[in-house]
């Protein structure tokens, strides 16, 4: 049931007894009685300290080893990407993403917004404070390595009853008592309970640091996603504004032709209908854009009422992001790291539970000065001291220690399952986004061709309409088809950018376990 990293407890007890017996037997020749006693005391102390050192090497519970997790040899969806894809297998020079991954999009406005996250985002500030609080738990656990020392002065003046039993005229009934005493209590960590607690606290703090990195990654990617979608709406807004101008001219043309007796009134109505419906679409984009703008303000730590992003269509290109090999994902995902660190913390708690099977050893010491007068307090005759120790072994607890140990084991097994599930989810996210990028890249090529074909169809329809060989319904249909295809093309481009951000998040965003704090 119990494991130690060095010797087992019975072996240590036998070794300690042998050291003490040898220390008592060995006497240097010609030594005096006082020298013999001093020598024996010195050797006995040495033996005791050696025994304590041996006991201090014991650590209950299993040592931690990271469990295996399902890791594929390669990313399946990456194999389906075209040869000219910007998503590639990492080279030695770019195996890890840079920390400021958003700079790969080349948008100064996005860079400025991301810079505000670290200092203004309240969710990130809360995660940071939780990490700092977890870090203090290590200091709390380490404090158990050392004795607890207290110091307390006291002073009193007492009057004893003259009518009490066995009173004597020689007994002082009115006296002062002044004392300055200190106490120290120490529980040596013979069985590794404190060491396992420190190990658990250290791993928990590193998990909290991973949680902080994961929160920052989530916030930064959410900001980038909202910003890119807002700029995608700006592209559609610009497209609709230009289309409204074109439709306005077409509407005016039909009015002119109607007044000239060339076109019918229905042509005018159809042109007006298309113009007004396009204006409605333009207005609808403003609603969605405002919501993204407000979300960006909150992520950047600013009130939505005072924050604004002027419409713009900045030139951006999809960045080349190195994928790396799948096994690197275990080191580059902060959520995987957090889950793995919690496994070690749970493993250490098994050792804490198993240490309860062994005696609880405590050493107590007290010392100080006591006198009836303050002037004679700090003097040799006023000194007092005591030294003692105890060892308490629980002989019956109705199965409590066994239940606590089993509970710790089950908790550890649960963290192992959580870790493996987190790993599986991480690979799913990478594959999902690789598939999305592959599909969108093929879809974008087809959609570009569709836009070009729709533009040619519209040009032909307008010429036919002006030549009087086609009705305005043909022009109207061609205009609607072109606008729909242009908006679809813009939407695909936006989805390509958002999928790239989601892939970066799935790959860990440039973070790796080497950035975990060491304690």
């Amino acid at each position: 049931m119990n494991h130690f990293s060095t010797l087992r407890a019975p072996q240590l007890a036998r070794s300690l007894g042998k050291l003490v017996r040898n220390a008592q037997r060995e006497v240097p020749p010609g030594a005096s009685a006082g020298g013999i006693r001093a020598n024996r005391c010195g050797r006995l102390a040495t033996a005791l300290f050696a025994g304590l050192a041996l006991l201090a090497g014991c650590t209950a519970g299993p040592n931690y080893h990271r469990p295996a997790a399902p890791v594929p040899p390669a990313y399946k969806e990456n194999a389906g990407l075209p040869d000219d894809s910007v998503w590639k297998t990492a080279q030695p020079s770019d195996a890890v993403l840079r920390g400021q991954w958003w700079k790969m999009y080349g948008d100064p406005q996005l860079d400025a917004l991301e810079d505000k996250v670290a200092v203004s985002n309240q969710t990130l500030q809360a995660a940071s404070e939780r990490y700092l609080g977890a870090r203090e738990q290590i200091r709390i656990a380490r404090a158990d390595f050392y004795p607890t020392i207290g110091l307390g002065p006291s002073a009193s003046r007492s009057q004893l009853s003259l009518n009490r039993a066995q009173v004597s005229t020689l007994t002082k009934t009115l006296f002062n008592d002044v004392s300055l005493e200190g106490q120290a209590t120490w529980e040596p960590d013979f069985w590794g309970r404190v060491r396992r607690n420190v190990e658990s606290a250290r791993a928990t703090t590193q998990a909290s640091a991973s949680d902080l990195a994961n929160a920052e990654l989530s916030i930064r990617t959410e900001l980038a996603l909202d910003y890119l979608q807002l700029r995608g709406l700006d592209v559609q807004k610009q497209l609709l504004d230009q289309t409204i101008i074109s439709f306005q001219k077409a509407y005016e043309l039909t009015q002119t032709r109607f007044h000239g007796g060339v076109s019918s009134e229905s042509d005018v109505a159809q042109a007006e209908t298309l113009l007004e419906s396009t204006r409605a679409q333009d207005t609808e984009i403003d609603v969605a854009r405002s919501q993204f703008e407000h979300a960006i303000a909150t992520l950047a730590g600013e009130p939505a009422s005072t924050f604004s992003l002027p419409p713009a269509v900045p030139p951006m290109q999809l960045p080349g992001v190195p994928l790396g090999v799948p096994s690197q994902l275990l080191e580059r995902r902060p959520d995987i790291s957090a889950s793995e660190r919690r496994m070690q913390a749970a493993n250490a708690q098994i050792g804490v539970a198993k240490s309860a099977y062994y005696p609880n050893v405590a050493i107590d010491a007290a010392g100080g000065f006591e006198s009836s007068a303050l002037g004679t307090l700090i003097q040799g005759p006023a000194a007092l001291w005591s030294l003692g120790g105890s060892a308490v072994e629980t002989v019956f607890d109705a199965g409590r220690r066994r239940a606590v140990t089993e509970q710790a084991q089950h908790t550890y097994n649960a963290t192992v399952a959580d870790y493996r599930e987190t790993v599986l989810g991480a690979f799913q996210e990478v594959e999902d986004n690789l598939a999305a990028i592959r599909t969108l890249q093929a879809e974008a090529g087809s959609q570009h061709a569709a836009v070009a074909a729709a533009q040619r169809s519209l040009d032909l329809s307008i010429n036919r309409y002006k030549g009087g060989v086609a009705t305005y319904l043909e022009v109207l249909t061609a205009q609607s088809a072109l606008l729909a295809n242009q908006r679809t093309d813009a939407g695909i481009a936006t989805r390509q950018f958002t999928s790239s951000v989601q892939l970066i998040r799935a790959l860990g965003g440039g973070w790796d376990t080497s950035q975990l704090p060491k304690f």
Side-chain angles (χ1 to χ4, degrees):
M1 292 291 295
N2 297 277
H3 307 279
F4 295 104
S5 59
T6 55
L7 299 175
R8 293 181 180 272
Q11 296 171 319
L12 289 170
R14 288 194 295 270
S15 299
L16 180 58
K18 185 177 180 181
L19 286 171
V20 172
R21 289 191 298 272
N22 290 340
Q24 293 174 335
R25 286 197 301 265
E26 292 180 10
V27 178
S32 63
I36 292 173
R37 287 193 299 271
N39 185 270
R40 283 180 173 174
C41 289
R43 290 182 176 274
L44 182 60
T46 302
L48 288 173
F49 277 117
L52 292 177
L54 288 173
L55 286 173
C58 300
T59 305
N63 291 327
Y64 174 73
H65 300 284
R66 185 167 70 180
V71 179
Y75 293 112
K76 178 184 70 174
E77 296 294 342
N78 188 42
L81 291 173
D83 292 339
D84 59 348
S85 172
V86 296
W87 312 104
K88 57 183 180 179
T89 302
Q91 303 299 322
S93 61
D94 59 3
V96 179
L97 292 171
R98 298 296 182 262
Q100 296 181 324
W101 51 265
W102 55 87
K103 291 184 178 295
M104 295 187 295
Y105 292 92
D107 189 330
Q109 182 68 67
L110 176 60
D111 296 345
L113 292 170
E114 293 286 0
D115 289 341
K116 291 182 179 180
V117 167
V119 296
S120 301
N121 184 271
Q122 298 306 307
T123 302
L124 192 59
Q125 292 297 319
S128 177
E129 291 299 326
R130 282 190 287 271
Y131 160 67
L132 294 175
R135 191 173 63 179
E136 296 305 315
Q137 189 62 38
I138 300 177
R139 296 175 59 188
I140 295 173
R142 283 176 174 166
D144 290 337
F145 279 124
Y146 306 98
T148 301
I149 301 175
L151 180 65
S154 66
S156 66
R157 182 173 176 81
S158 304
Q159 170 67 58
L160 300 180
S161 172
L162 296 176
N163 294 329
R164 72 187 188 280
Q166 298 179 347
V167 66
S168 170
T169 57
L170 300 178
T171 303
K172 294 183 64 176
T173 59
L174 181 64
F175 59 88
N176 299 325
D177 186 45
V178 182
S179 66
L180 179 64
E181 296 184 33
Q183 300 86 28
T185 301
W186 180 44
E187 295 185 10
D189 189 30
F190 289 151
W191 324 119
R193 178 186 63 84
V194 177
R195 289 191 291 277
R196 289 303 191 195
N197 267 328
V198 171
E199 179 185 352
S200 178
R202 184 186 300 114
T204 300
T205 302
Q206 290 178 326
S208 182
S210 297
D211 289 338
L212 174 60
N214 194 48
E216 181 176 2
L217 176 61
S218 297
I219 291 168
R220 291 191 182 280
T221 52
E222 184 62 34
L223 175 60
L225 288 171
D226 289 346
Y227 179 82
L228 291 172
Q229 291 180 85
L230 180 141
R231 290 310 183 200
L233 292 177
D234 285 345
V235 172
Q236 294 198 40
K237 175 78 171 176
Q238 184 184 70
L239 173 63
L240 287 169
D241 289 342
Q242 294 172 351
T243 303
I244 288 172
I245 295 173
S246 176
F247 286 178
Q248 179 68 38
K249 292 179 179 179
Y251 172 63
E252 293 171 356
L253 175 62
T254 56
Q255 283 184 318
T256 301
R257 291 172 62 86
F258 169 69
H259 292 307
V262 180
S263 298
S264 64
E265 188 175 357
S266 65
D267 290 348
V268 177
Q270 289 173 348
E272 184 179 6
T273 300
L274 184 59
L275 174 62
E276 295 304 328
S277 65
T278 305
R279 283 174 175 167
Q281 295 176 48
D282 192 59
T283 304
E284 184 180 3
I285 282 183
D286 291 335
V287 176
R289 189 187 189 280
S290 297
Q291 293 174 344
F292 280 118
E293 188 177 66
H294 300 159
I296 292 171
T298 301
L299 291 169
E302 296 188 21
S305 302
T306 59
F307 179 83
S308 64
L309 281 175
V313 184
M316 290 190 293
Q317 291 185 352
L318 287 172
V321 179
L323 294 177
V325 295
S327 60
Q328 290 178 332
L329 200 64
L330 302 184
E331 304 295 327
R332 290 169 59 172
R333 289 266 303 214
D335 58 337
I336 293 178
S337 172
S339 183
E340 189 271 336
R341 293 287 79 205
R342 289 189 171 90
M343 276 195 302
Q344 182 171 10
N347 182 81
Q349 286 302 313
I350 297 175
V352 174
K354 288 186 174 183
S355 68
Y357 283 97
Y358 298 95
N360 185 18
V361 180
I363 298 175
D364 299 301
F369 301 91
E370 184 177 17
S371 176
S372 60
L374 186 62
T376 59
L377 178 62
I378 311 298
Q379 292 184 359
L384 57 91
W385 62 269
S386 66
L387 179 65
S390 64
V392 180
E393 169 67 17
T394 303
V395 295
F396 178 74
D397 62 359
R400 181 181 183 278
R401 288 173 295 177
R402 181 181 180 85
V404 171
T405 303
E406 292 294 331
Q407 180 188 43
Q409 183 66 56
H410 290 310
T411 300
Y412 169 74
N413 292 340
T415 61
V416 173
D418 290 340
Y419 168 72
R420 288 171 175 163
E421 182 64 23
T422 303
V423 171
L424 290 173
F427 283 113
Q428 177 188 346
E429 290 181 15
V430 174
E431 296 289 1
D432 285 349
N433 287 289
L434 284 174
I437 289 167
R438 173 176 54 79
T439 303
L440 289 170
Q441 192 169 39
E443 187 179 356
S446 299
Q447 191 59 40
H448 293 335
V451 170
Q455 183 65 59
R456 290 195 302 271
S457 176
L458 177 59
D459 294 339
L460 291 172
S461 297
I462 291 176
N463 291 334
R464 284 165 55 82
Y465 176 67
K466 290 180 178 179
V469 295
T471 64
Y472 190 71
L473 180 60
E474 182 179 319
V475 176
L476 182 68
T477 302
Q479 288 175 325
S480 299
L482 176 61
L483 177 60
N485 279 283
Q486 287 175 328
R487 293 195 66 181
T488 300
D489 188 59
I492 291 173
T494 301
R495 289 167 61 195
Q496 284 182 295
F497 276 99
T498 56
S499 293
S500 73
V501 174
Q502 289 168 345
L503 178 62
I504 290 172
R505 176 167 59 185
L507 293 172
W511 184 90
D512 61 65
T513 54
S514 65
Q515 299 179 42
L516 281 176
K518 303 294 188 293
F519 300 101

